[in-house]
Amino acid sequence: MNNKKISIITVCKNAEKTIAKTINSINNQTYNNIEHIVIDGKSKDSTYNIAREKKILPGLIKSEKDISAEDAMNKSIKYSTGEIIFFFKC
């Protein structure tokens, strides 16, 4: 069976109202070869802390200033190790 690694990349900024739901949805996936990368655009709310509390899958959480969501997506690829990449913006 082919078990390709999937990288799920979530880019967000000031998303404290939606980040927990997004991360919980990703945590509940049944596929077993997933990494989750969260790129926070230096939020001024509690987005980063919520992400640190909720994220359980392998991967990382970064909080750094971005020019745009697209900039964050482009930068996040360097952290990805999956053969398939999905992007979520919240």
Side-chain angles (χ1 to χ4, degrees), residues 58-84:
L60 62 91
I61 303 171
K62 287 281 216 184
S63 185
E64 54 192 32
K65 188 166 174 49
D66 304 308
I67 297 168
S68 64
E70 294 75 17
D71 177 48
M73 289 177 188
N74 287 331
K75 289 192 302 184
S76 68
I77 293 172
K78 69 182 172 188
Y79 305 120
S80 171
T81 62
E83 298 169 87
I84 300 168

Side-chain angles (χ1 to χ4, degrees), residues 6 14 16 26 40 44 52 56 62 70 77 79 87:
I6 296 175
N14 298 325
E16 68 183 2
I26 294 166
D40 171 53
K44 296 186 187 303
R52 285 186 42 210
I56 60 173
K62 287 281 216 184
E70 294 75 17
I77 293 172
Y79 305 120
F87 290 100

